[in-house]
Each structure stands twice: as C-alpha cells, then as structure tokens.
Amino acid sequence: MRLGIGLHRVVASRRETSFAVLALVAILALPIAGAAQPHGDDPGNFWSRLQGEVRTYGQLAFPVGEFGGHVGLGAGAGFSSTFFLHRERMVGLRVEGNMAVYGTRSFRPQPTTTVPLDVRARTTNSIMSAGIGPQIYLLTGAVRPYVFGTVGFTSFVTATRTRANATSPRWHDNEGPYASSLDIDDVGMAMNAGGGLSIRVRDGMALDIAAVYQHNGIAEYMTRGYRNPDHVDWNRWYRETLNDRRYDPERIGEPVVSEANLVSWRIGASFDLF
C-alpha cells in the first residue's frame, strides 16, 4: 500500500471507526445475550447446546458510486458459518469469506529462453474479503428471513500468472508455471450489512438468498483498462518479476484510488452442522 492511499484513508477514518466500534459492540454483546438462560436451565450446559449451520453460495457483485465508474460487474463465490447462541437458533455469530473477480485479460507474451515455449498469461483483478458479526433470524418455520452485519477486511488483488508448454519434441511437452507476479494487493477494513431468506427444502438443508452492502471505503485497485501487453518489454518483466517486482506501470498502468463499495446478490444452500 503506497503513501497516497494512506492519505486518502485518513479523511474517512473517523466515520469508519465509529461504524466499526458500533459493530464490535454488537458482536461482543452476543455472548452475553446467548448466556442468558431460560428459567430452570443449567448455565453450565451452554456449550453443549451450541448449534450451527454452514452455507455456500455464488454471488454477483455490483460496484456502486465511484467504483461503478471504473469497473464492471464481478462474479464469485463465498461461504459462511453461523454459530447459534441458544436452542431456538435465532441469534448467532456469523463468520464469512468471499471472493469476486471483476476483470481478466489473457495474452501470449514472448518467452525469453532458448527453449521453444508456448507461453500464455492471464491478469486477474479480484476482491477477497472476510468478516465476523451478528446474525439474527426474524421468524421461525420453513421460511426464515434474517439480517446480519460483519466487520473484517477486504483485499483488492491484481495478479498475473503465466504458464508455458514446450513446443518442440526435444523437450518434455508438459505445461507448468513459468513466471508470475502480484501486481496490486491493497488491504483495508470492510463492513457488511445485509439480509436474506432461508427456505427449508428438507431437514437440515435450506435454499439461501441474500443481498449485502459492502463498505470498503477508499481503496487502491486496477481497472480493466490496463496497458496493452503487446507494448511491454517482456524481457525486463521476466527478469524483474523473479525479484518480486510490483507496481509495474509499463505493464499494468497506474492504479485507481477511490471509494470501492459493492452491492452483492447471493444464492446458495445452507446445511445444519449440529
């Protein structure tokens, strides 16, 4: 993360810190709420009554605000686990992780070795995030609406990976890694707020549909409009990639610094754990 992105984040730090404090208070309050046992129950049995569920889903990520002016629709997948704090399975602690890809580009750079190789490369722009926070079901029964919020981190990653295949019978015709680089990796705080609908399809399994707003604040990231790979000095890139070269403006262009918030739609399935 470079100095410019740090200066941009200072401006928004007070607002984001306030949101984070409120969210953390809610998270810390969950064990207290879960520990409040009905009359006549033995508090010592709290952990033996702990229940949980896990869900996996695909998602479409729609950039909003400034972010929507620079990048397009993203797609990916994620998972979450919810640990309920009482037998009614209404209030729980949610842990989730997600990934969405919002841009890829494939190309065929020229190899710099004397071995005849067919080299193929792909640059991928992706967003990875994880968080923890409360989840509350609003109703019981076969159809259960819920709301949740999480606090965690988001990483905006642009990486290039190349694979090479020998084209001469003299060499082994096995494809394998050739060179790769991590071009951008900007990590910041993320806060999610969302709601969903759990529709039971059979015992222990439900269809899960949700919508989520993800506040990432200011971030540094690449867009799809990076430089044409045909105009790159690949000899220099191969040599310096091996020395962990990053932020190569000749090959990937200059990163964008702006708000980078998302609205995601998710659909998947949830399964009772215990």
Side-chain angles (χ1 to χ4, degrees):
M1 184 176 68
R2 296 185 293 180
L3 178 60
I5 183 67
L7 294 177
H8 278 278
R9 281 187 173 145
V10 168
V11 177
S13 62
R14 291 185 178 179
R15 180 184 60 187
E16 294 182 358
T17 300
S18 298
F19 288 156
V21 169
L22 291 175
L24 288 172
V25 168
I27 293 172
L28 293 174
L30 279 174
I32 299 174
Q37 306 298 322
H39 181 72
D41 283 354
D42 179 6
N45 291 330
F46 169 71
W47 294 110
S48 66
R49 292 197 306 271
L50 187 66
Q51 301 179 65
E53 66 183 15
V54 63
R55 65 182 57 79
T56 181
Y57 46 82
Q59 65 175 355
L60 292 177
F62 297 85
V64 296
E66 290 183 89
F67 197 35
H70 294 289
V71 306
L73 177 69
F79 72 93
S80 69
S81 296
T82 303
F83 301 95
F84 296 105
L85 301 175
H86 52 72
R87 289 175 295 178
E88 288 74 17
R89 302 174 68 92
M90 296 293 289
V91 179
L93 188 64
R94 179 186 179 104
V95 180
E96 68 173 29
N98 307 281
M99 184 188 75
V101 174
Y102 65 88
T104 62
R105 185 171 185 178
S106 299
F107 44 93
R108 301 178 72 173
Q110 294 298 318
T112 60
T113 67
T114 57
V115 179
L117 296 174
D118 177 22
V119 181
R120 303 188 181 193
R122 170 171 292 186
T123 297
T124 302
N125 300 325
S126 58
I127 305 169
M128 293 178 284
S129 61
I132 183 171
Q135 177 178 317
I136 303 172
Y137 278 103
L138 305 178
L139 296 173
T140 60
V143 179
R144 308 180 70 195
Y146 64 89
V147 294
F148 67 92
T150 63
V151 175
F153 73 89
T154 299
S155 177
F156 290 79
V157 178
T158 294
T160 298
R161 293 177 175 83
T162 63
R163 298 187 70 83
N165 186 45
T167 59
S168 170
R170 179 180 176 185
W171 304 92
H172 294 293
D173 192 19
N174 294 323
E175 186 174 304
Y178 183 45
S180 62
S181 68
L182 178 63
D183 305 316
I184 294 289
D185 182 14
D186 183 44
V187 179
M189 186 175 68
M191 292 173 286
N192 288 6
L197 196 63
S198 177
I199 306 171
R200 187 169 63 218
V201 295
R202 65 180 185 182
D203 288 343
M205 178 179 176
L207 174 68
D208 193 273
I209 303 171
V212 185
Y213 175 75
Q214 181 171 316
H215 179 81
N216 299 312
I218 301 294
E220 184 179 42
Y221 57 91
M222 297 306 304
T223 70
R224 289 186 173 182
Y226 40 77
R227 298 290 182 87
N228 189 332
D230 294 335
H231 301 159
V232 173
D233 181 358
W234 287 102
N235 288 326
R236 182 177 61 82
W237 181 73
Y238 286 128
R239 180 179 64 254
E240 295 182 352
T241 293
L242 300 180
N243 295 323
D244 295 326
R245 177 179 175 81
R246 300 176 63 186
Y247 298 109
D248 185 350
E250 179 191 22
R251 186 174 60 80
I252 64 175
E254 290 293 338
V256 174
V257 177
S258 76
E259 292 273 350
N261 304 321
L262 300 167
V263 171
S264 299
W265 288 90
R266 303 171 177 175
I267 184 168
S270 64
F271 305 89
D272 291 346
L273 287 177
F274 43 82

